[in-house]
Amino acid sequence: MSSGSTGEGSHDFARVRRIVKTDEFSSVFRLRPAQKTAHFVLYTRLNQLPHARLGVVVAKRFAPRAVTRNTIKRVTRELFRVTGLPAIDCVVRLAKPVNSKDGPATTAKLKAALRVELARLFAAQARQGQAQQGRATATPTPAPAAVPPPLAPTLEPKAP
C-alpha cells in the first residue's frame, strides 16, 4: 500500500483526511457540538467524501506546554485512524485545562484519561453512523411500478 493511500478502511492520516482550511473548521464549528466530555467537545458535520476527516484544536490556555498539546493531538489522531467513522468532518476541541505549568507535561495517567475520553467520543460517532446506515437500509424502498409488456400487434382481417 502506498503512503498516499486513501482507500476505504485505510488507517492512514493523509492530508485528505485532515481538516486544514479555516473555512472548513468554521463550517463545522457553526453547528452545535455533537458531544461533550470532561475535557473535550466534538463537533461533526456530514461531508460528501467517501471518508471521515479530522481537525484538532488545542488552545495554549488549556494546555500551556507544547509537549502536552502535541500529546493530545497525537492521541486524537491515533484514535481517529483506528475508529471506523462514517463520512463526517470531526473537529475535536480541548475545552478545559488538562494540567498546569507546575506539574509534569504528560503522564501515563493523563494519557490514559485522555484516551478514554476521546475513544468514547469517536465510538459514539461510529455507533451513530452505523445506526444511520442501518436505518437507511431498513427503510423499505418502494418497488418500481410494474410496466406491462408491450402488446403484440394484432392483425385484424381487412374487411372486403
Side-chain angles (χ1 to χ4, degrees):
M1 179 174 5
S2 67
S3 62
S5 172
T6 59
E8 194 66 35
S10 176
H11 296 302
D12 64 355
F13 195 61
R15 187 169 178 89
V16 296
R17 295 192 181 276
R18 301 180 205 160
I19 298 175
V20 290
K21 295 180 181 174
T22 304
D23 61 328
E24 293 173 340
F25 273 97
S26 297
S27 67
V28 179
F29 277 133
R30 266 189 234 122
L31 304 174
R32 281 183 149 153
Q35 287 185 304
K36 295 179 183 181
T37 63
H39 294 98
F40 296 99
V41 177
L42 175 69
Y43 297 86
T44 59
R45 178 182 72 117
L46 291 173
N47 68 30
Q48 301 300 317
L49 302 170
H51 53 77
R53 296 189 309 167
L54 175 69
V56 184
V57 178
V58 183
K60 200 181 278 190
R61 69 178 184 197
F62 294 137
R65 292 183 169 173
V67 173
T68 308
R69 292 192 302 275
N70 291 335
T71 299
I72 292 168
K73 292 176 197 174
R74 194 177 314 108
V75 169
T76 304
R77 288 190 304 260
E78 172 192 339
L79 289 169
F80 174 80
R81 281 194 303 264
V82 298
T83 306
L85 292 173
I88 57 175
D89 287 344
C90 299
V91 174
V92 175
R93 181 175 60 89
L94 182 65
K96 296 207 171 109
V98 291
N99 62 8
S100 63
K101 273 190 170 176
D102 318 1
T106 61
T107 61
K109 184 178 174 185
L110 175 66
K111 285 181 188 178
L114 295 175
R115 187 170 274 123
V116 166
E117 281 188 52
L118 290 164
R120 191 177 313 134
L121 286 175
F122 288 138
Q125 285 303 310
R127 280 193 308 272
Q128 192 175 28
Q130 288 173 349
Q132 287 174 349
Q133 286 177 347
R135 278 189 299 237
T137 57
T139 305
T141 55
V147 178
L151 297 174
T154 56
L155 297 174
E156 295 181 19
K158 290 186 180 178

